[in-house]
Amino acid sequence: MKEGSRKIIQISVTTEDEAQFRAALESGRADLIHIDAAYSDPGDWRRLTQEAHAAGTLAGLRLPQIWRREADRFFGAHLEELKEAGFDRWLFRNPESVMWFAAQG
């Protein structure tokens, strides 16, 4: 590290339910909270993202580790919720999800 430079540490948390999300948000220590798509309701995504933003925290969506046809159908059925949620980040865990999201624009 160069003299006079400082290291910036960012804390990223992944949550599987609203109680975990709430705990991470209320701690005030998370810079980014990922909401796990496998354990969350698409109808809640926008509200949770707005709550994170109101607290000065970024919100992301953690996508499935393995992308199958069920994921195509699920995310296709909830495309409007994805677009309206206002996520700041996406946690891609396989190339198929990257390709699917790229195809959606």
Side-chain angles (χ1 to χ4, degrees):
M1 189 177 310
K2 289 184 175 182
E3 187 177 322
S5 65
R6 37 183 267 227
K7 185 175 184 178
I8 297 174
I9 298 173
Q10 292 186 330
I11 298 175
S12 173
V13 177
T14 299
T15 61
E16 293 182 350
D17 60 35
E18 192 158 342
Q20 291 177 356
F21 174 86
R22 190 91 30 243
L25 193 62
E26 291 172 1
S27 76
R29 297 181 187 230
D31 299 299
L32 167 62
I33 301 175
H34 278 109
I35 299 162
D36 194 316
Y39 300 101
S40 61
D41 183 334
D44 293 334
W45 291 342
R46 182 179 174 136
R47 177 181 54 81
L48 295 173
T49 300
Q50 289 174 339
E51 288 180 29
H53 291 163
T57 302
L58 298 174
L61 186 66
R62 182 172 110 159
L63 300 165
Q65 185 170 354
I66 299 172
W67 193 269
R68 296 206 168 107
R69 287 186 186 144
E70 295 84 28
D72 279 341
R73 285 191 289 270
F74 176 81
F75 288 103
H78 298 288
L79 195 54
E80 284 305 309
E81 288 97 331
L82 280 171
K83 291 178 180 179
E84 294 174 359
F87 289 112
D88 303 295
R89 303 282 189 276
W90 306 93
L91 182 55
F92 295 103
R93 302 189 308 159
N94 55 64
E96 292 84 7
S97 61
V98 174
M99 292 185 302
W100 188 88
F101 273 74
Q104 306 312 309

